Amino acid sequence: MRTIVDDFTRRFAAGSVSRWSAVLLAAAALAGLAACDAAKTAPSPAAGAALPVQVRVVQEQQLPITLEAVGQAEGSKQVEVRARVTGLIERQRYQEGEPVRAGAVLYQIERAPFEIALQQARAQLAQQQAQLEQARREYDRLRPLAEAQAISRREADNAQSSLQLAQAAVALAQAQVRQAELDLSYTTVTAPISGISGRSLKSEGALVNPGTDSLLTTVTQTDPIWVRFALSEAELARVRAAGGTQVRLLSDQGESLLEQGRLNFAGSTVDPSLGTVPLRAEFANPRLRVLPGQFVKVQVVAGQARGFLVPQSAVMQNEQGRMVWVVRDGQAQPAPIQTAGWLGSDWVVTSGLKAGDQVIVEHLMKLRPGAPVAPQPAEPQPAAAPAAAAAASTQ
């Protein structure tokens, strides 16, 4: 800076700058010189100053061991409603997407052709019954004569055969009547189970038949509802060891959707590509809070253990496993830990910490073993305790 001032003085003496320019340049030069001198005299921060960090003081407590997985809901029953006779749909008797009860009428197919077929079958039955009575009277008249050898044996055998043929004809006619009655009943299409009705695939006036194009709609039972998900081998072993396992469903925001579920299926093989075992849970769903096909978060409570709640942001992963930074003697020190699942947004730590440890929750990338730190209490997180209580209440 002093070199610049000396150069400016020589230029001013030689007359290469104007008076006002000289004044302005001189003022700027003097200001810069003063700033440089102030910087030289300002005190520098101490090389070993402590880094301010926020910490959470952890305490050991009884905590539920929870496992979480993403699952997909499905109806506990899903039935295809199909046409079983050929005819025209006269009327659709349900609202699509609305709940229906078992036995409720969904469609009405034209009845007239089947009523006529039933009348014909009944008339045929009456005719065969009349022929049976005639054959029985003939046989009863010829039997005494055959015993007295007043007629040939052949005539007696023919009378007996005619009676048996008439009996068989009546049985056939009765089966045809029953078939005609059954076909007539199929013209009224009812819901086979209680559940939520699906979209109608056939409109009024459409011709339906019991062939490959017979599907009319579907009915899905949503109460109870099933949820399919998968766990690793180690997690499944922990679930089996827990015995009375409780299962809950959570929303994307972590709010409880359905509680008090139970496992009703566990696969007997491990998926070789994923290393997981498929499972299925059943939940009461009277208010239809979960829809079939919906993706949900499944939380399995597999027993309880004593441990510590540590924020997710405080846990790091390295080659040896998970670890946290703790404050000991005013210095940051790494502490390897063992975890047992999540509880809300916190890890459940079962080993590696002790009561009263100060776990650092910020500036983790700036820390080095033995670095001096100045711990400050982190902001309280009230959601952890209620989450623990809610999970523990399911035990």
Side-chain angles (χ1 to χ4, degrees):
M1 181 61 67
R2 296 187 183 279
T3 303
I4 297 175
V5 174
D6 293 342
D7 179 66
F8 171 76
T9 303
R10 289 193 299 270
R11 293 172 60 191
F12 179 76
S16 57
V17 294
S18 65
R19 182 183 301 271
W20 289 107
S21 298
V23 173
L24 294 176
L25 291 175
L30 292 174
L33 182 59
C36 292
D37 292 339
K40 290 180 179 180
T41 59
S44 59
L51 176 66
V53 292
Q54 292 187 351
V55 298
R56 177 189 287 189
V57 180
V58 296
Q59 299 294 339
E60 189 176 18
Q61 53 187 312
Q62 192 76 9
L63 298 171
I65 299 177
T66 59
L67 308 173
E68 292 188 357
V70 176
Q72 186 174 19
E74 64 180 17
S76 52
K77 292 181 181 179
Q78 182 167 343
V79 180
E80 295 180 342
V81 179
R82 294 183 176 272
R84 304 175 72 174
V85 291
T86 300
L88 296 176
I89 296 179
E90 289 185 336
R91 187 177 179 185
Q92 178 181 323
R93 303 283 297 274
Y94 78 101
Q95 292 293 330
E96 298 172 308
E98 293 295 325
V100 295
R101 293 185 176 275
V105 179
L106 303 180
Y107 297 91
Q108 183 62 60
I109 299 176
E110 184 180 14
R111 292 173 56 91
F114 300 96
E115 291 173 344
I116 294 173
L118 176 59
Q119 292 176 355
Q120 291 175 343
R122 288 173 175 171
Q124 184 68 23
L125 173 61
Q127 181 180 357
Q128 296 299 331
Q129 289 174 338
Q131 292 179 356
L132 173 61
E133 292 299 325
Q134 181 181 0
R136 182 176 290 112
R137 288 193 298 269
E138 183 70 14
Y139 175 75
D140 292 341
R141 184 170 54 253
L142 296 179
R143 184 176 57 180
L145 297 178
E147 292 175 352
Q149 296 182 352
I151 59 175
S152 65
R153 185 66 183 174
R154 181 176 181 179
E155 291 178 330
D157 291 344
N158 288 340
Q160 184 176 6
S161 297
S162 297
L163 176 61
Q164 293 175 343
L165 290 174
Q167 291 173 340
V170 169
L172 177 60
Q174 289 174 339
Q176 291 174 342
V177 170
R178 181 71 185 93
Q179 181 64 52
E181 292 174 344
L182 189 61
D183 290 342
L184 179 60
S185 69
Y186 287 159
T187 60
T188 302
V189 182
T190 60
I193 62 172
S194 298
I196 304 300
S197 59
R199 181 175 64 89
S200 178
L201 302 179
K202 298 291 184 180
S203 61
E204 294 181 355
L207 178 64
V208 296
N209 58 76
T212 57
D213 192 28
S214 60
L215 183 61
L216 301 178
T217 186
T218 59
V219 178
T220 303
Q221 182 174 335
T222 58
D223 184 22
I225 197 165
W226 290 349
V227 177
R228 292 182 292 106
F229 61 102
L231 295 176
S232 66
E233 298 177 66
E235 292 173 334
L236 180 59
R238 184 179 299 171
V239 169
R240 288 175 172 172
T245 304
Q246 297 291 335
V247 189
R248 298 194 305 161
L249 293 187
L250 305 178
S251 64
D252 295 338
Q253 293 75 27
E255 299 175 353
S256 178
L257 290 177
L258 299 176
E259 296 185 1
Q260 301 297 335
R262 66 178 185 89
L263 294 177
N264 64 357
F265 170 77
S268 57
T269 59
V270 178
D271 188 335
S273 59
L274 300 176
T276 58
V277 180
L279 294 100
R280 188 180 66 204
E282 180 180 306
F283 298 86
N285 189 33
R287 298 182 180 179
L288 202 62
R289 297 191 64 185
V290 177
L291 300 175
Q294 180 178 344
F295 286 93
V296 292
K297 184 184 296 183
V298 183
Q299 186 182 77
V300 182
V301 183
Q304 291 188 350
R306 295 198 63 82
F308 306 87
L309 288 179
V310 176
Q312 174 190 356
S313 59
V315 179
M316 302 183 66
Q317 182 83 28
N318 56 22
E319 301 82 18
Q320 289 75 30
R322 296 188 177 95
M323 59 156 288
V324 296
W325 289 93
V326 296
V327 179
R328 289 174 182 165
D329 298 329
Q331 297 178 345
Q333 298 293 344
I337 59 173
Q338 296 292 330
T339 60
W342 290 43
L343 184 57
S345 60
D346 295 337
W347 280 104
V348 176
V349 177
T350 55
S351 65
L353 296 176
K354 62 180 182 296
D357 273 348
Q358 296 178 328
V359 178
I360 302 175
V361 298
E362 66 169 0
H363 300 320
L364 303 184
M365 302 306 296
K366 298 181 181 180
L367 299 177
R368 297 293 182 270
V373 292
Q376 301 174 357
E379 296 181 0
Q381 298 187 8
S393 64
T394 61
Q395 296 300 313

